[in-house]
Amino acid sequence: WRLYECVDGPLPREYSRDYQQHEIGNPILAVTLEPGDVMYFPRGFIHQAIAVGDTFSHHVTVSTYQRSSWADFMSKTVDTALNKLFDSDFAFRKSLPVGWSGYMGPAYDEDNGSGSDLPETKKRKRSSGEAATRATRQRLQHEFGRTYSKLLRRLSATLHINSMDLHEAANEFMIDFQVNRMAPYLPSSAKGAAAGRKRGEATSAEEMETEEMDAATMVAIANLKPSSRIRFRNPSWARMVFDEDQDTEAEGDRTPVILLFSTLKNDRAHHMDGEHTPDPSCLKFPRTEEHVRSLQMLFDWPIRPDGRGGPQQKGPWVHLRDLAFHNFQDAKAFAVALLAESLIDVDQGDK
C-alpha cells in the first residue's frame, strides 16, 4: 500500500478523480498489509493498493465523517435562523423581482468572458439599443446584488445562536444521520438467521427477532418491579426530540410530545441506495417533566474528557423506583415501551 498527500487539500467532501502518477508525487508511506489487517488514514489521502507477487488482493475502503464537518452542522443553524427571519421579517418573505431570471445567470454576466482579451476585429459592435439594454441589465443586477447583501447583513446580525438553537440543530443533524446513514442494529440471536435470508426478506429488527426473544421480552415485562434496573443498550442508537403531535387535527391544539428516534428499524433492503427516503422509527411520549427527566437519566452515559463515550457504550443502570415518575405504574409503562423496541436492557435484581 502506498499513501500520498491530498492533492486538492485535506479533508475533501467528495471522492477524488483518478490522478496520474506525476500529479501525486512520491508516496509518504509504503507498507505491506497482510490478510485481515486494517489501516486508517485521514480522509482525502490518496492510496494505491498493489498485490504482492502473482497473488490477487481485494480490499474494502470505508469512508467516515464525510458529511460531519462544521460547515454541514452550521448549515442547520443557518436554516434555523432563516426560518425565524421568514416568520418575523417581511423583507425575507417578499418575492424575487419579476423577470429576475432574464438578467441573472452566467448568460448575462458580461464581466465574465466579456471578450476584453479579443482583438478589436472580433469584438462585438453594439447598437445604441443594445447598449441601453446592457445598461438596464447591469442596473438590475446591481440592485439584485444590493438587496441580497442587505438581507445577508440582517441574517448575520441575527446569528447569535443560543444553546437551544444549537441543540435543535444537533437533533436535525443526528436524525438525518441516523435515518440515512446508520445501518440497522441486528440482534445477536438473529445474526445466524440473517445469513440465510435473501435481500429484502426482512427489513427490521422486529421482523428478525425470534419467538424465543419475544417470549424473553414478555417474561421481562411480567417481572418488572420497583427494584428492576434498566439502561439503554446503546444511547447512540436513540435521539430525543421535542416536537408537537402532528396527528392532532387542529394545528393550534397540538400537544407537546417527545419523539425518541432510533436506528433499530432502519430499512435493510434499501439502506443508502439513494432512491428511498424511509420514515424514521420513533416512540412518542407525552412531554411531561417526568418523561423528560427519566429519559435524561438514561442518556446520562459516561463521557471521557475528550468527549467520547465510555468503553462499553452502555447507558447507566437506573432503578424503576428512581425514575422521575410519581408512581410505579407510570414507570413500568415507560420501561415497557422502551423494552418492546429493544432499546433497553433489564436487570431484575434477583442475583
Side-chain angles (χ1 to χ4, degrees):
W1 274 66
R2 298 170 185 165
L3 295 187
Y4 299 82
E5 293 279 6
C6 307
V7 173
D8 298 323
L11 302 180
R13 168 173 284 184
E14 305 296 340
Y15 295 107
S16 66
R17 61 180 174 85
D18 290 333
Y19 293 103
Q20 298 296 320
Q21 188 65 44
H22 71 273
E23 296 180 279
I24 58 179
N26 296 320
I28 59 174
L29 176 68
V31 63
T32 299
L33 298 184
E34 302 293 339
D37 286 348
V38 175
M39 179 168 62
Y40 168 81
F41 47 91
R43 187 173 76 249
F45 279 78
I46 300 167
H47 62 278
Q48 289 177 332
I50 303 172
V52 177
D54 297 329
T55 60
F56 292 96
S57 176
H58 182 75
H59 69 272
V60 176
T61 304
V62 179
S63 297
T64 61
Y65 262 49
Q66 276 185 296
R67 303 289 178 177
S68 297
S69 68
W70 276 106
D72 292 308
F73 184 83
M74 291 175 71
S75 69
K76 298 292 185 182
T77 59
V78 171
D79 281 346
T80 299
L82 278 172
N83 288 333
K84 290 181 178 179
L85 281 171
F86 187 88
D87 293 336
S88 63
D89 193 328
F90 172 73
F92 284 83
R93 298 197 299 272
K94 292 179 65 175
S95 299
L96 292 171
V98 175
W100 70 274
S101 61
Y103 55 84
M104 295 301 300
Y108 309 111
D109 184 8
E110 299 195 28
D111 291 332
N112 184 16
S114 60
S116 58
D117 295 332
L118 294 176
E120 288 296 327
T121 56
K122 295 292 185 180
K123 289 184 178 180
R124 180 182 175 187
K125 307 299 182 182
R126 297 180 182 275
S127 66
S128 58
E130 289 177 324
T133 297
R134 182 188 184 194
T136 299
R137 184 175 289 128
Q138 289 179 331
R139 175 180 59 80
L140 292 172
Q141 290 172 349
H142 177 72
E143 291 176 358
F144 192 96
R146 186 172 57 188
T147 301
Y148 180 85
S149 297
K150 180 180 178 181
L151 295 176
L152 196 59
R153 287 193 296 271
R154 289 196 191 184
L155 172 62
S156 178
T158 62
L159 279 178
H160 302 296
I161 304 298
N162 57 38
S163 61
M164 182 176 294
D165 292 328
L166 290 177
H167 287 307
E168 289 178 359
N171 271 339
E172 290 186 29
F173 195 85
M174 281 305 302
I175 290 169
D176 175 71
F177 178 79
Q178 286 182 324
V179 173
N180 297 314
R181 295 282 173 178
M182 291 292 288
Y185 169 73
L186 185 62
S188 58
S189 61
K191 289 180 180 177
R197 292 176 183 263
K198 296 179 180 179
R199 175 179 172 86
E201 280 190 350
T203 60
S204 71
E206 182 179 13
E207 292 173 313
M208 297 296 291
E209 290 177 352
T210 62
E211 292 182 3
E212 181 180 355
M213 281 191 67
D214 291 338
T217 300
M218 296 302 295
V219 170
I221 291 174
N223 290 333
L224 286 175
K225 50 187 178 293
S227 61
S228 299
R229 301 189 305 169
I230 62 174
R231 69 177 177 185
F232 275 131
R233 301 174 72 178
N234 189 322
S236 67
W237 293 344
R239 193 78 192 176
M240 183 173 72
V241 177
F242 292 159
D243 204 346
E244 293 181 341
D245 193 348
Q246 302 300 317
D247 295 332
T248 307
E249 292 186 5
E251 184 173 346
D253 297 332
R254 287 179 177 170
T255 305
V257 294
I258 303 169
L259 300 180
L260 189 66
F261 291 89
S262 73
T263 65
L264 301 192
K265 293 184 180 179
N266 280 3
D267 194 317
R268 298 181 190 280
H270 304 295
H271 179 60
M272 288 185 66
D273 68 358
E275 298 180 1
H276 297 78
T277 304
D279 292 327
S281 174
C282 72
L283 286 172
K284 182 165 60 178
F285 296 105
R287 197 196 307 178
T288 65
E289 183 68 24
E290 292 88 350
H291 285 88
V292 172
R293 181 60 190 137
S294 296
L295 282 169
Q296 288 176 338
M297 293 169 71
L298 294 176
F299 274 110
D300 192 20
W301 56 326
I303 298 292
R304 298 200 298 261
D306 61 3
R308 299 176 185 270
Q312 300 300 319
Q313 301 295 299
K314 294 281 190 180
W317 284 111
V318 180
H319 288 96
L320 291 191
R321 62 171 176 259
D322 294 331
L323 292 173
F325 297 99
H326 297 302
N327 60 73
F328 172 67
Q329 292 305 318
D330 289 343
K332 181 178 179 179
F334 172 76
V336 167
L338 296 173
L339 188 58
E341 292 293 310
S342 301
L343 284 169
I344 58 172
D345 292 322
V346 177
D347 174 27
Q348 302 293 1
D350 297 328
K351 297 180 181 179

